[in-house]
Structures are given as C-alpha cells and as structure tokens.
Amino acid sequence: MRRAKSVVGVSGLTSVSTPPPPSSGPSSHGLPLLTPSASMPSLPAAPSSSEPSVREMLKDLHQLIIQTQEERSKGEHNLSNIAKTHERMQYEQKVSPYFKQKLRGLYNTAMADAESEADMLRKCLDKVAQIKTVRNERRLAARTGYSDEVPRKTMRRGVLMTMLQQSALTLPLWIGKPGESPPPLCGAMCAESNYVAKHGDKVAARVKGIDGDETWILAEVVSFNHGTNKYEVDDIDEEGKERHFLSRRRVIPLPLMKADPENNPEALFQKNQLVLALYPQTTCFYRALIHDPPSRPQDDYSVLFEDTSYADGYSPPLNVAQRYVVAVKESRKR
C-alpha cells in the first residue's frame, strides 16, 4: 500500500512519495501556516429557502459577540467597584459591617456577571459549531454527484495537509460549567460503547494493504450498517481513492472537541501514555508515547513515535494536534 511506505524512519519504512518531515523543533508539525487565502473550500450549493444561510448565521454570531462584550464591560465596572472598596478599607484600616455587606453584594453581582458572560460565550461556541456543521453538510452533499464512473478530482497533497491542519486548529474547545465532567470524545475521552460515528466524521481506520500489512489511516465515514455492524469509510488521502468496509473494532472516532489543559487536565493523555498519533505530513497513525501533553488549549501534544532506527526505539519529539491523537486499540489475540 502506498501509504504504508510514505514515512521515513517509522518501523523501518522507506520513503517513496512523501518527503521526510523535519525531526524536531517548533516547525516539526510540518504543515504550512494558515493565511487568509488558506480558507475552507467555497460552499458548493446555495441553501434552500427554509434553511438559515451561513451569512445569516454569521450575522447572528456577530450579534452574540457584541452582547458578550457588553456583558464583559458590565462585569468590569463591578470589578472596579470591588477594587475601590478594598482600597478604601485599607485606607481606613478597618472592616466595618458596612464594608462587609457592600462587598458581599458586589461579589454576588460579580459571580452573576461572570456566569452571564460564560453563557454568552457558550452561545457563541454553539453558533460556530452550527456554522461548521452546515458547511460540512454542504461539502458532503457536493460529493454525492460523484460515482465510480466519474471519479473525484484528486486533491493536491499540499492542499490536503493544509485542510487537516485547519481542521485541528478550528476544533472547538469544550468549556463546561463548574463541576461538569468532560463529555465523550473531548480530548482523550473515549466514545461511549454504543457510539456510532456519523456520515462525514473523521476516524482512524485499520486497513489491510495490498502487501497484507495493516495500517491505521485517517478516513472519513460514509455510512454504518447496523445489520452487519460495519462501517463504510473512505481513505482521506484521495490519491488512494480507496473505500473500506470495516468492523467497529477497526475504527476509532477522532475527538470532536479539544480539552482545556488548565481546567480539565484529566481529559488529556498523560506523559508516557501509549497512543496512536498522526505522523506529520502523512495520513497515517502510528504508535507513540506522550512526551509532553499540551499546557494551553492551543498547544499540541509532543510525542515520541516508535522507531527502530533509533537506539532507544523512539523518534525525537514531534508535535501532533489534539485532533489526531487517540487511544491505542489493541488487536484481538487469536
């Protein structure tokens, strides 16, 4: 299989069609930086009159952002009053019942203001997710006109790599309420046992190549047959133009949300934990150890890929986004 020979230095594979990615450093992700010109593809079809257009949803998002800023400004005014009250207390060097009552009221107001701002931010994130869903649905709808007789146009590798990076960068960050636990498919949180990935979802799929070797590839779900309990998935790398029919144990859904390292570190893979990670500049997953988990929401994992060409059996640290790091699913013993 072409893909299984596209990585240099991973389990003794040799390069055929993909140049070796850099081994370390800040640019080890190996993907081009996004610019305004590197946006998502244009929408393929106009929405029906009954559907809200993306333009309308963007207007709604703009209004939500304005309302969020208004809530923040209101909260900042109250925080300023709290600071002034503390300064006055220090100046008078006493804590009178008046100050206690006033501060209690100010702090209660501050907590209410913070919760209102958080609710507005959640509404903004929900609207962004809605816009992304509509765009993805239209992208999928544009592909329904293709068939085996009329193959899809091959996407250039550079465009594909940019799109994969953009997908990782725009993965929504989960922000829960105080005390709320991260949901399934947030960061390292696994899917529920009865979960079925939807049409268009990205997954890690274990497929068998022409030479008989099995590889974990990045794929897109076409459908799921509840009768046979099998997925139909497309190889995301359109150079392969391959479709696979796989059992559920050969498919791992990718995270749908990023975990916040500052508030939910338990939803991240930890140092020295074994994972499957997408090797930079390829569409293949390989076994790796977590070298360092992200310290901020926008940070990537630093991972050490299993590599027999190194004395210790692992590659130098490479960066991989949360979107493309999943738990290892071990093979069944025969």
Side-chain angles (χ1 to χ4, degrees):
M1 184 178 180
R2 177 201 59 76
R3 182 190 315 279
K5 296 183 180 179
S6 63
V7 182
V8 175
V10 176
S11 301
L13 302 177
T14 57
S15 175
V16 172
S17 60
T18 304
S23 59
S24 62
S27 62
S28 59
H29 206 310
L31 301 181
L33 295 175
L34 290 176
T35 63
S37 61
S39 58
M40 291 294 288
S42 57
L43 299 179
S48 65
S49 58
S50 62
E51 294 180 349
S53 67
V54 171
R55 186 182 296 275
E56 291 172 347
M57 288 189 287
L58 286 172
K59 289 181 180 179
D60 293 341
L61 177 60
H62 182 253
Q63 289 301 316
L64 287 171
I65 293 173
I66 292 176
Q67 294 173 30
T68 302
Q69 185 58 45
E70 291 173 352
E71 290 290 341
R72 177 169 297 180
S73 299
K74 184 173 65 175
E76 288 175 349
H77 177 71
N78 189 63
L79 291 175
S80 176
N81 288 336
I82 291 175
K84 290 178 181 178
T85 303
H86 277 288
E87 290 174 0
R88 187 175 173 185
M89 288 170 53
Q90 291 177 352
Y91 177 76
E92 296 186 8
Q93 296 184 346
K94 66 177 182 179
V95 182
S96 65
Y98 165 76
F99 284 130
K100 288 182 178 180
Q101 183 177 1
K102 183 177 182 179
L103 282 175
R104 185 180 295 111
L106 288 172
Y107 276 114
N108 287 335
T109 302
M111 292 174 64
D113 289 343
E115 187 57 39
S116 295
E117 182 182 346
D119 286 340
M120 291 304 304
L121 287 170
R122 292 188 189 98
K123 290 180 181 178
C124 290
L125 291 172
D126 289 343
K127 183 61 66 173
V128 170
Q130 184 183 357
I131 293 170
K132 291 183 65 177
T133 298
V134 170
R135 289 176 66 99
N136 189 53
E137 288 175 350
R138 295 181 189 174
R139 178 184 66 84
L140 295 172
R143 295 172 57 177
T144 58
Y146 293 98
S147 64
D148 294 336
E149 289 74 23
V150 184
R152 290 175 292 167
K153 183 179 179 181
T154 300
M155 183 184 299
R156 289 181 300 173
R157 175 160 292 273
V159 175
L160 174 61
M161 293 296 107
T162 299
M163 289 183 64
L164 295 183
Q165 184 194 34
Q166 188 174 35
S167 175
L169 290 172
T170 58
L171 191 68
L173 176 69
W174 184 76
I175 301 177
K177 295 181 179 181
E180 187 178 5
S181 299
L185 295 179
C186 170
M189 307 301 289
C190 295
E192 296 178 337
S193 59
N194 60 346
Y195 177 81
V196 174
K198 300 185 296 294
H199 173 54
D201 283 357
K202 303 298 187 297
V203 297
R206 188 176 185 179
V207 301
K208 183 175 293 187
I210 299 175
D211 54 5
D213 291 338
E214 293 189 333
T215 307
W216 286 97
I217 67 169
L218 180 60
E220 184 175 89
V221 173
V222 176
S223 64
F224 179 77
N225 188 319
H226 289 273
T228 61
N229 208 32
K230 286 189 175 183
Y231 281 103
E232 181 179 358
V233 303
D234 277 340
D235 186 342
I236 198 68
D237 189 340
E238 293 182 338
E239 288 182 8
K241 297 187 179 65
E242 296 176 78
R243 180 162 291 185
H244 305 273
F245 297 85
L246 306 169
S247 63
R248 292 177 67 171
R249 64 186 178 85
R250 287 179 168 267
V251 173
I252 305 175
L254 297 191
L256 299 179
M257 292 171 286
K258 285 189 287 190
D260 184 353
E262 298 171 353
N263 295 312
N264 301 107
E266 74 279 7
L268 292 168
F269 294 109
Q270 301 304 309
K271 186 177 180 66
N272 294 326
Q273 192 168 351
L274 185 64
V275 297
L276 284 174
L278 192 72
Y279 198 90
Q281 287 293 326
T282 76
T283 53
C284 283
F285 290 85
Y286 295 95
R287 290 160 61 97
L289 288 180
I290 298 296
H291 180 61
D292 279 314
S295 57
R296 299 173 300 172
Q298 66 269 30
D299 290 344
D300 295 336
Y301 282 101
S302 175
V303 305
L304 308 173
F305 285 97
E306 291 184 353
D307 192 335
T308 56
S309 66
Y310 290 91
D312 61 356
Y314 292 96
S315 71
L318 294 174
N319 292 340
V320 181
Q322 280 197 49
R323 171 72 162 161
Y324 304 119
V325 179
V326 296
V328 169
K329 183 178 285 191
E330 298 294 348
S331 304
R332 286 184 179 178
K333 294 182 179 180
R334 297 182 179 178

